[in-house]
Amino acid sequence: MPTHDVVIVGSGLAGMRAALEVCQGASVAIVSKVHPVRSHSGAAQGGIAAALGNMPPERTAKIQARIENGAVLPDEELNEDSILLHWFDICKGGDYLVDQDAAQMTAENAPTLIYQYERWGAAFSRLPNGKIAQRPFGGHQAPRACYAADRTGHALLHCLWEQVMKRSDQVTVYSEWIVLDLIIRDNICRGLVVWDLNTGRLETVHTKAVIFATGGYGRAFSITTNAFANTGDGIAIAYRNGVPLMDMEFVQFHPTGLYRLGILLSEGARGEGAYLINGEGERFMHRYAPTLLEKGPRDIVARAEMMEIMEGRGGGPKKDYIYLDLRHLPAELVRTRLPQISDLVTKFVGIDWSKELIPIQPAAHYSMGGIPTTLQGEVILDAQETLVKGLYAAGECSCVSVHGANRLGVNSLLEATVTGWAAGRAALAHSQQAELAPLPADATASAEAEVKGILENEGTESVADLRKTLQEAMTEKCGVFRDADHLKQCLETVKDLQHRFHNVHIRDKGQVFNTALQEAIELGHMLDFAETIVEGALARQESRGAHARLEYFDLKTAAGVRDDENWLKHTLAYRDGDGVRLDYKPVRIFKFKPIARKY
Ligand SMILES: Cc1cc2nc3c(=O)[nH]c(=O)nc-3n(C[C@H](O)[C@H](O)[C@H](O)COP(=O)(O)OP(=O)(O)OC[C@H]3O[C@@H](n4cnc5c(N)ncnc54)[C@H](O)[C@@H]3O)c2cc1C
């Protein structure tokens, strides 16, 4: 049985960044269900945010900082960026559901952590003066996205992997090991139950601290930008072990997924000047974000696209998509700053971006919600912040909450980096003073029953069918716009699928690389947490950030009705028998007073 001081689950930016902290003083292992450099962080395109204030020469015009409602800001015009402005943009972008200390920590630590990537050799794109280049991104008031062309995640993930390999005597990596369960007794996390995909063996990993860095769950939706591995395993495992899930109703839909495929075309394209065009050939964003236009935040742009479609101005025979227009961009700019986009549209839809419009639609992209934590990544159980000793979460699976109701682009690679770094430091400190807590005799019982239950089931339901039904229901009934009727139907579907899942059958009964079993386990996870998304959305009777309820939304003015009096609070969803119990937790607001959110 492997024993380590700290075990990190996940090897994306959050997991590896955490490992680099822990290995400075404790034995650490990373467990990952895919090889580390195949983690979804590697798919990130547009950039990572930090207020470095590196202004591209073509944008020397002074930036008039707009901090509304008396928030503190230097009076003078800024001709560069500031941490305060970044902090403010996060809070406004998140429709004020952001815990403002979390946003502060994120904005403040961004420059140092970005320069650390640079020192480690991350291949950032550069300005002519040699500084890290920065481009505009939705909802950010200054060009703040540091990027490596449109392959930023790839550059950063490989950079961290090199650093981990350099310390391979201190960091053990268990690749293609899948975590099935947490071992928590008396509120103390003692280890993990892990399934070795290569041999089919169940292993117990004994440890003083676990950091979950298991990423997002876009795969619960049919149109998604997410990798196949993004099935929200960590979120579901925490939930099954009594941890509540926070703000799950806030799911981000990215405005520019390739039509029907969901493959992401980075917001970097709009950052570099691409347009959005409706079926009538009109640029329409002036109706929805008159100042920022295509550079508005994602929730607003995704809704704008849906409204154009709902009002019959979509493109194509069914009028059900929108176009991204790159035709006016210089070929050299696309070649150097957006090469992947150009590749993707050629290979997947056979389109020449310089001559044709690219069909796109909103696609499930990012989960604002997740496992609730303190600023140090410690997992909490309730509004009083009772801790589960030795359990931490970081990156997309966690909810600190830095993004509130809507994440701004390029803030997530940053979140993964900052929260990974913070959780790594906290887990290291904990492991240096804590003892290894003994493992209970029944540590593996529940995981064994789960695996056996699927392998021996001779039922009639197929994983693929159940998954497809779930994904379609989530996209169609719990998507960009929601309403009570559709959410209730969606909940019924999820409940029905949970029931049918007890009757699921897989043909492969083998031990070695049983991916059918893996898919069944992942589906079980998705069915569990999907219920918290729908229940949270049904309960929240307002529109805020990415959660737009048609009953609380004026389609004529494209404005949502936000109800600060009753709903300026975080949702906590607990597993309760066969259902979900909801509780709420206050938002930490001390700097920027919530005001109407306009762009
Ligand atoms: C296409 C795309 C483009 C994006 N572009 C940007 C961008 O430009 N800028 C930005 O800021 N954000 C971007 N994002 C969001 C951002 O990439 C993610 O939020 C972030 O990378 C998440 O990092 P992470 O470390 O939390 O998780 P991930 O990188 O997703 O890693 C999750 C890890 O958990 C492991 N894991 C999961 N379940 C288990 C299990 N049961 N057992 C063992 N291991 C497990 C996986 O193997 C993996 O290593 C993008 C997202 C997508 C999908």
Side-chain angles (χ1 to χ4, degrees):
M1 170 176 50
T3 303
H4 303 273
D5 290 330
V6 179
V7 180
I8 298 165
V9 187
S11 53
L13 253 49
M16 289 210 276
R17 190 62 194 76
L20 292 174
E21 290 305 309
V22 180
C23 76
Q24 295 177 31
S27 75
V28 56
I30 298 178
V31 178
S32 178
K33 73 174 176 180
V34 299
H35 182 276
V37 295
R38 296 190 60 220
S39 301
H40 189 66
S41 290
Q45 301 177 353
I48 178 165
L52 305 182
N54 296 343
M55 305 297 283
E58 69 267 26
R59 294 197 190 89
T60 45
K62 291 196 171 181
I63 293 170
Q64 172 63 54
R66 287 183 299 271
I67 295 213
E68 292 140 273
N69 205 27
V72 186
L73 189 86
D75 286 340
E76 74 271 20
E77 277 193 328
L78 294 177
N79 54 14
E80 53 179 38
D81 200 1
S82 80
I83 283 169
L84 190 64
L85 197 57
H86 189 188
W87 180 14
F88 171 75
D89 287 348
I90 297 174
C91 297
K92 178 179 174 185
D95 222 347
Y96 297 96
L97 195 73
V98 171
D99 281 330
Q100 298 193 353
D101 49 0
Q104 180 180 20
M105 174 177 96
T106 305
E108 279 181 356
N109 286 293
T112 316
L113 292 172
I114 299 297
Y115 287 132
Q116 188 166 40
Y117 276 124
E118 185 188 36
R119 307 278 137 81
W120 281 335
F124 285 113
S125 297
R126 303 268 160 187
L127 296 171
N129 65 10
K131 290 187 174 178
I132 295 174
Q134 299 197 271
R135 64 176 155 215
F137 242 75
H140 291 276
Q141 295 186 78
R144 194 175 283 145
C146 311
Y147 58 96
D150 56 358
R151 301 189 180 104
T152 313
H154 183 89
L156 299 182
L157 192 66
H158 281 261
C159 167
L160 288 186
W161 178 233
E162 280 173 12
Q163 295 304 315
V164 167
M165 282 197 296
K166 191 172 156 193
R167 296 161 179 80
S168 54
D169 51 336
Q170 293 144 281
V171 188
T172 309
V173 178
Y174 299 103
S175 188
E176 294 175 335
W177 280 34
I178 300 182
V179 171
L180 298 186
D181 203 5
L182 273 166
I183 307 169
I184 301 175
R185 298 289 186 278
D186 306 324
N187 228 1
I188 299 171
C189 178
R190 297 146 192 261
L192 293 159
V193 185
V194 184
W195 172 46
D196 178 353
L197 192 55
N198 196 25
T199 62
R201 250 195 353 252
L202 284 190
E203 295 271 1
T204 313
V205 184
H206 197 187
T207 182
K208 295 176 190 172
V210 169
I211 303 177
F212 263 16
T214 52
Y217 56 70
R219 280 280 146 191
F221 293 78
S222 59
I223 309 285
T224 176
T225 65
N226 278 204
F228 282 94
N230 286 16
T231 49
D233 299 356
I235 287 175
I237 293 168
Y239 178 60
R240 288 175 182 180
N241 278 279
V243 175
L245 300 180
M246 184 156 127
D247 292 342
M248 291 293 281
E249 61 270 35
F250 297 100
V251 178
Q252 175 161 86
F253 295 88
H254 195 293
T256 54
L258 267 181
Y259 176 56
R260 294 184 42 195
L261 303 174
I263 296 170
L264 181 74
L265 301 182
S266 169
E267 187 177 319
R270 280 172 289 135
E272 297 292 356
Y275 300 147
L276 291 172
I277 305 273
N278 65 19
E280 295 167 6
E282 178 205 15
R283 269 182 84 185
F284 55 84
M285 277 309 298
H286 61 91
R287 282 196 277 279
Y288 308 96
T291 313
L292 293 186
L293 300 170
E294 280 90 350
K295 294 186 189 67
R298 289 180 181 167
D299 55 338
I300 292 177
V301 181
R303 277 197 293 274
E305 293 178 357
M306 289 308 294
M307 279 184 271
E308 291 297 306
I309 292 170
M310 281 150 71
E311 284 162 21
R313 293 190 294 273
K318 293 193 205 148
K319 296 183 184 289
D320 60 347
Y321 54 80
I322 292 295
Y323 297 105
L324 183 68
D325 185 2
L326 269 66
R327 293 172 302 177
H328 55 289
L329 296 183
E332 181 59 11
L333 182 147
V334 176
R335 192 185 66 77
T336 52
R337 297 191 201 164
L338 304 166
Q340 187 172 203
I341 289 195
S342 137
D343 243 33
L344 289 173
V345 296
T346 314
K347 291 191 178 137
F348 285 93
V349 278
I351 275 182
D352 176 354
W353 63 265
S354 67
K355 300 198 179 75
E356 293 161 88
L357 294 169
I358 307 165
I360 47 108
Q361 73 182 123
H365 182 60
Y366 177 86
S367 44
M368 268 71 76
I371 304 169
T373 71
T374 64
L375 296 187
Q376 288 71 39
E378 301 150 301
V379 172
I380 57 175
L381 282 176
D382 49 34
Q384 291 71 44
E385 309 218 328
T386 309
L387 301 183
V388 185
K389 287 199 193 71
L391 184 60
Y392 300 78
E396 189 170 337
C397 74
S398 70
C399 184
V400 211
S401 138
V402 58
H403 307 301
N406 171 61
R407 163 175 84 84
L408 294 184
V410 295
N411 272 343
S412 171
L413 291 181
L414 176 61
E415 170 207 32
T417 306
V418 172
T419 57
W421 164 79
R425 283 157 53 108
L428 168 61
H430 171 80
S431 72
Q432 286 171 331
Q433 47 84 20
E435 300 288 327
L436 260 184
L439 288 177
D442 63 348
T444 55
S446 147
E448 270 167 17
E450 182 182 11
V451 169
K452 202 163 163 246
I454 296 170
L455 282 176
E456 293 180 0
N457 200 322
E458 290 303 330
T460 51
E461 300 286 0
S462 98
V463 170
D465 285 348
L466 299 189
R467 187 175 52 212
K468 186 161 179 272
T469 312
L470 171 73
Q471 291 169 330
E472 285 174 356
M474 292 300 284
T475 291
E476 284 159 23
K477 298 183 172 152
C478 190
V480 175
F481 282 110
R482 294 116 184 237
D483 64 53
D485 285 348
H486 287 96
L487 286 169
K488 281 181 193 151
Q489 290 168 20
C490 189
L491 188 61
E492 253 175 55
T493 306
V494 173
K495 289 291 210 188
D496 180 50
L497 291 170
Q498 287 172 345
H499 183 68
R500 288 168 62 190
F501 184 70
H502 293 304
N503 207 17
V504 85
H505 173 75
I506 58 169
R507 282 201 210 130
D508 185 352
K509 308 287 183 190
Q511 292 291 309
V512 178
F513 256 85
N514 191 338
T515 49
L517 177 57
Q518 176 182 349
E519 286 182 30
I521 290 169
E522 289 170 342
L523 173 62
H525 291 158
M526 294 197 286
L527 288 173
D528 277 3
F529 68 71
E531 193 180 351
T532 68
I533 301 175
V534 186
E535 287 278 21
L538 199 50
R540 187 173 281 276
Q541 295 176 9
E542 65 160 353
S543 290
R544 181 187 298 275
H547 171 69
R549 282 278 300 259
L550 278 170
E551 305 95 315
Y552 311 99
F553 198 90
D554 182 350
L555 285 169
K556 281 202 195 75
T557 58
V561 181
R562 192 178 81 192
D563 178 358
D564 284 348
E565 200 174 312
N566 295 303
W567 288 102
L568 185 51
K569 56 187 180 186
H570 297 295
T571 307
L572 292 176
Y574 292 84
R575 189 172 207 191
D576 188 11
D578 283 341
V580 176
R581 175 173 63 83
L582 297 180
D583 196 2
Y584 294 91
K585 178 176 177 298
V587 184
R588 287 194 295 275
I589 297 173
F590 57 91
K591 181 79 170 172
F592 309 112
K593 202 169 140 222
I595 49 163
R597 184 167 162 255
K598 294 203 177 83
Y599 288 95

